[in-house]
Amino acid sequence: AQSVTQLGSHVSVSEGALVLLRCNYSSSVPPYLFWYVQYPNQGLQLLLKYTTGATLVKGINGFEAEFKKSETSFHLTKPSAHMSDAAEYFCAVRDVAAGNKLTFGGGTRVLVKP
Amino acid sequence: EAGVAQSPRYKIIEKRQSVAFWCNPISGHATLYWYQQILGQGPKLLIQFQNNGVVDDSQLPKDRFSAERLKGVDSTLKIQPAKLEDSAVYLCASSPQGLGGNTIYFGEGSWLTVV
């Protein structure tokens, strides 16, 4: 069964500093990988996804993530944090072998300090 | 393009009462999902429909939860009777049929508090 692990339930960064959110997954086949963001009292919004091809994926709001098959990782980064990046971030894996089920990690809440 | 619509947005009920949530997916999306998100946790899949057929309901507590997707469009999720631990956000999502790389789009959620 596929699973997703996000290291750190809370991350605090200073405005302008690097944001790094870690995600590791387990899957029996090469997966499709996603990062979603959730702002307070809102649903989930797609930041970026990896399907095939280039392993470095760029998303909205300056975020990017790199798929590393050897490390089974899909870490999310942003070079310079902005106050508006304060939200909860979820990594998810979609396994075609499991009926295209989307499985989420536990989430990482990002706090941005001025 | 209209997104995934859900209602009601907020609901407070007493334990042992019943509640129903409604979802209208993005037009043309064959796959519809219901997720439960408990505060501080990631969303958990309750049930997945492909058109009007159930693909996965392995984590749906069938003694109290039920869901249907008549005519392969709108869907309703019902809880009867509700327990305190059912307090959560219920997220509906939809995606086009086909490849696993397709994006799954989420609604804003229905927030349930059971007291």
Side-chain angles (χ1 to χ4, degrees):
Chain A
Q2 58 194 18
S3 66
V4 182
T5 302
Q6 291 184 240
L7 275 177
S9 59
H10 292 80
V11 167
S12 181
V13 299
S14 298
E15 191 173 19
L18 171 71
V19 179
L20 171 60
L21 305 182
R22 299 180 187 276
C23 173
N24 288 88
Y25 67 91
S26 68
S27 177
S28 58
V29 297
Y32 299 105
L33 298 161
F34 303 79
W35 275 100
Y36 283 85
V37 61
Q38 187 175 38
Y39 298 102
N41 298 326
Q42 294 188 25
L44 298 167
Q45 180 183 2
L46 181 71
L47 273 178
L48 49 79
K49 64 180 180 181
Y50 169 78
T51 55
T52 59
T55 56
L56 182 62
V57 180
K58 295 187 184 298
I60 62 172
N61 301 339
F63 284 93
E64 62 183 36
E66 186 171 12
F67 168 56
K68 292 187 177 181
K69 183 178 178 180
S70 61
E71 299 178 6
T72 60
S73 69
F74 191 55
H75 302 330
L76 181 71
T77 59
K78 181 174 181 178
S80 178
H82 190 271
M83 296 298 291
S84 61
D85 295 326
E88 188 147 23
Y89 294 79
F90 293 95
C91 181
V93 58
R94 196 172 188 189
D95 192 339
V96 176
N100 282 332
K101 177 180 175 179
L102 188 67
T103 301
F104 285 89
T108 299
R109 184 169 297 277
V110 173
L111 171 66
V112 182
K113 299 177 292 184
Chain B
E1 178 182 85
V4 177
Q6 291 188 244
S7 68
R9 285 293 316 275
Y10 304 95
K11 191 77 175 178
I12 300 174
I13 62 172
E14 295 182 350
K15 59 183 179 184
R16 292 187 289 275
Q17 286 187 325
S18 63
V19 63
F21 300 114
W22 171 83
C23 173
N24 181 236
I26 293 173
S27 178
H29 282 191
T31 309
L32 184 147
Y33 312 79
W34 283 102
Y35 281 84
Q36 180 193 57
Q37 185 179 17
I38 293 173
L39 186 64
Q41 299 181 18
K44 181 184 80 172
L45 180 68
L46 291 176
I47 189 167
Q48 176 180 339
F49 292 96
Q50 184 75 14
N51 296 308
N52 60 352
V54 175
V55 173
D56 185 341
D57 64 355
S58 57
Q59 298 192 87
L60 186 74
K62 298 180 184 65
D63 58 334
R64 297 182 302 105
F65 285 65
S66 65
E68 61 181 10
R69 191 183 184 196
L70 299 177
K71 301 180 182 178
V73 181
D74 294 5
S75 178
T76 302
L77 176 70
K78 297 180 181 178
I79 307 173
Q80 181 179 17
K83 292 185 174 181
L84 295 177
E85 58 261 36
D86 299 332
S87 294
V89 181
Y90 291 86
L91 296 164
C92 181
S94 70
S95 70
Q97 183 172 349
L99 299 176
N102 287 331
T103 298
I104 296 178
Y105 297 88
F106 285 81
E108 293 195 323
S110 292
W111 298 68
L112 174 66
T113 301
V114 182
V115 297

